[in-house]
Amino acid sequence: MATMVPRYDETGPIAPVDVSRPELWRDDRFAPLFARLREEDPVHHCPDSAFGPYWSVTRHQDVMHVEALPDLYSSSFRYGGITILGEGKPIWGEDLLPMFIAMDRPEHSGRRRAVAPAFTPSEMERLRGDVRRRTEEAIDALPLDTLFDWVDRVSIELTTQMLAILFGFPWDERRKLTTWSDWAGDLEAMLDPVRGRKRLDILWECSARFTQLWKARETAPPAGDLISMLVHSDATRDMTPQEYLGNLILLIVGGNDTTRNSMSALPVVNARWPGEWEKIAADPALIPNAAQELVRWQTPLAHMRRTATADTELGGKTIRAGDKVVLWYMSANRDESVFAEADRFVADRGNARRHLAFGFGIHRCVGARLAELQVATLIEVLRERRLRPVQAGAPERVPNCFVHGYRSLPARLVRV
Ligand code: HEM
């Protein structure tokens, strides 16, 4: 392998930049690199990285352009799927457990339709009261003016409870959903033979538990949870067991790290820009927008990846069939040509909804409404209680370039 030393801290013509390096994410040092790429070389080739050669797409409009052409830029697991890792090989075992996020049309369409009914506006209305009650309980259990880990007590707890309810998953086992999701999204573990093996064992444990639940629901009368819906609905009862499991794992991973890390961002932005919480305190009508802005600011999935299916041109560069094209949402959401003062959290930002954290096009996040409901409810409950969560120490960040988030975050609740 050729040795390539990224010259990201030098001036002069830009040299290959490898924004996938885990330490950049662990130490929160990626932003200046993306700023420079957006400015100087927005579609950038990195010839060598731990994940092999790849293109970085860093501008908002280019990310949308690629996502709007899903036949030319494939998501399929057959080429390596939707993260920077896959090298013409399935990554989450999608060949055994197919997930529709890593499929192209027409396979993708029907499978997405099968789970979409769980996320309609009327379903969200049905869940609203429950989301609120659980959020109130979690917040009311927190100490005032005392240091605690916001990730564990709030973000993980609320997202895991939500998934347990959505799946009808046994309540006292719900933290298993967190463990499974964390391992599934850990790209660095996949590069390490020992941790990679452990990861696969954990994913098989997850599959085995869901197989048991599936069998139990099959013989029980239809109920409102997602497992029962999939087992009993006409549209999905023909899914193979593998496919059913693949889609459940997708929903666990999709709904876990992402909403969790959006919630984790709240004490961080409150500590940096206290005036924004004052805007929310003064005007509750801002809450839905503030929730979107929080998702934009955090961008819990830093990238999705596509593979070119034919030679093409992007931003003046020639992309060859088979090339790995990484769409950096983290960079697109900091694109100053779309978001003024993009590094700031601005509760009343006029165009917060233009963010790409949920993706765009046919794969746009199917759970976006649920995520919005959960994040907005959290802000609402805190505001009503006149409580402001504030970061109160250094966070431990997830050291990989896929899940952009926090393992722990010391915080305090302050009465305002
Ligand atoms: C703030 C929270 C969330 C963020 C930032 C997020 C982000 C994303 C992104 C970036 C994609 C891929 C979009 C693309 O390729 O264009 C995606 C797809 C998906 N998400 Fe989410 N997600 C969130 C919450 C959820 C929740 C709560 C669920 C379900 C419980 C969920 C389930 C899914 C599924 C099933 C897909 C695949 C959609 C498809 O391929 O058609 N996500 N999400």
Side-chain angles (χ1 to χ4, degrees):
M1 196 189 280
T3 316
M4 189 69 60
V5 183
R7 290 179 17 206
Y8 52 83
D9 47 359
E10 294 180 18
T11 53
I14 201 155
V17 171
D18 179 11
V19 273
S20 73
R21 293 156 56 217
E23 63 273 22
L24 295 175
W25 300 86
R26 182 196 62 206
D27 304 337
D28 193 26
R29 286 193 293 123
F30 52 80
L33 301 189
F34 282 130
R36 208 172 156 200
L37 288 178
R38 281 194 306 275
E39 183 65 29
E40 296 176 36
D41 197 28
V43 177
H44 177 79
H45 192 244
C46 177
D48 186 20
S49 81
F51 306 102
Y54 68 96
W55 290 96
S56 280
V57 182
T58 57
R59 282 189 184 163
H60 191 277
Q61 68 176 36
D62 291 334
V63 170
M64 283 180 69
H65 172 86
V66 170
E67 293 229 45
L69 297 169
D71 301 322
L72 180 57
Y73 295 101
S74 167
S75 295
S76 176
F77 64 86
R78 296 186 178 87
Y79 302 114
I82 47 90
T83 77
I84 192 171
L85 183 73
E87 205 50 73
K89 287 192 302 248
I91 47 160
W92 287 345
E94 293 97 327
D95 49 343
L96 301 170
L97 297 175
M99 298 180 190
F100 65 87
I101 196 170
M103 289 181 187
D104 293 336
R105 297 185 288 200
E107 284 178 298
H108 164 261
S109 327
R111 289 161 173 89
R112 178 175 167 118
R113 265 202 303 277
V115 300
F119 302 99
T120 56
S122 55
E123 268 305 292
M124 294 307 104
E125 277 314 307
R126 199 179 64 78
L127 290 173
R128 184 179 293 278
D130 191 40
V131 170
R132 205 185 146 82
R133 186 179 51 73
R134 287 181 307 93
T135 308
E136 288 174 352
E137 278 170 18
I139 297 302
D140 290 340
L142 295 175
L144 200 62
D145 285 324
T146 308
L147 218 58
F148 64 92
D149 180 11
W150 178 265
V151 172
D152 182 58
R153 298 284 299 270
V154 180
S155 321
I156 290 185
E157 192 50 30
L158 287 177
T159 41
T160 309
Q161 286 184 8
M162 187 71 251
L163 287 176
I165 288 170
L166 216 54
F167 293 124
F169 193 81
W171 195 248
D172 43 359
E173 289 177 47
R174 66 186 184 280
R175 286 271 170 147
K176 284 185 184 164
L177 296 170
T178 315
T179 308
W180 295 336
S181 170
D182 285 351
W183 278 94
D186 189 343
L187 298 194
E188 297 302 319
M190 286 183 249
L191 295 175
D192 175 319
V194 177
R195 295 182 66 229
R197 183 67 248 162
K198 180 162 181 201
R199 179 179 171 277
L200 281 183
D201 289 346
I202 285 170
L203 289 187
W204 281 114
E205 178 203 312
C206 165
S207 303
R209 188 68 186 97
F210 271 110
T211 305
Q212 287 171 347
L213 293 174
W214 174 50
K215 295 219 154 84
R217 303 288 149 86
E218 216 175 14
T219 50
D225 67 86
L226 206 50
I227 300 181
S228 187
M229 271 171 64
L230 289 172
V231 169
H232 291 286
S233 111
D234 285 344
T236 50
R237 69 160 56 105
D238 289 339
M239 274 202 240
T240 61
Q242 285 86 348
E243 203 178 315
Y244 151 82
L245 284 171
N247 285 328
L248 283 180
I249 292 175
L250 167 60
L251 288 161
I252 298 169
V253 177
N256 202 356
D257 286 325
T258 51
T259 315
R260 179 205 304 179
N261 285 310
S262 305
M263 290 179 170
S264 296
L266 188 58
V268 181
V269 300
N270 278 341
R272 287 199 209 165
W273 299 289
E276 299 304 313
W277 186 261
E278 281 161 27
K279 289 183 193 166
I280 297 169
D283 182 5
L286 278 184
I287 292 175
N289 197 71
Q292 287 290 342
E293 172 67 354
L294 196 60
V295 175
R296 179 198 72 87
W297 188 83
Q298 179 59 30
T299 309
L301 294 182
H303 77 263
M304 282 280 151
R305 165 265 181 93
R306 301 292 186 258
T307 311
T309 56
D311 292 356
T312 186
E313 202 203 283
L314 180 64
K317 301 289 176 74
T318 303
I319 311 280
R320 300 276 175 214
D323 280 2
K324 195 186 278 193
V325 179
V326 179
L327 310 176
W328 292 106
Y329 298 136
M330 193 67 243
S331 176
N333 284 344
R334 292 288 185 276
D335 190 332
E336 293 274 344
S337 69
V338 178
F339 304 107
E341 290 191 89
D343 285 336
R344 271 183 67 93
F345 168 82
V346 182
D348 55 350
R349 181 182 290 285
N351 66 352
R353 284 176 189 274
R354 282 191 66 195
H355 75 76
L356 295 176
F358 290 125
F360 178 74
I362 64 167
H363 286 281
R364 186 178 189 272
C365 179
V366 81
R369 280 196 201 97
L370 181 58
E372 286 163 25
L373 173 64
Q374 290 178 270
V375 175
T377 306
L378 175 62
I379 299 176
E380 201 175 274
V381 166
L382 287 160
R383 180 192 168 275
E384 284 167 7
R385 284 159 174 65
R386 298 183 175 281
L387 294 173
R388 187 162 64 100
V390 199
Q391 178 181 358
E396 186 191 348
R397 293 171 197 278
V398 178
N400 79 56
C401 68
F402 183 54
V403 173
H404 175 227
Y406 312 84
R407 289 206 169 134
S408 65
L409 181 79
R412 272 183 308 121
L413 269 190
V414 185
R415 181 94 50 203
V416 283

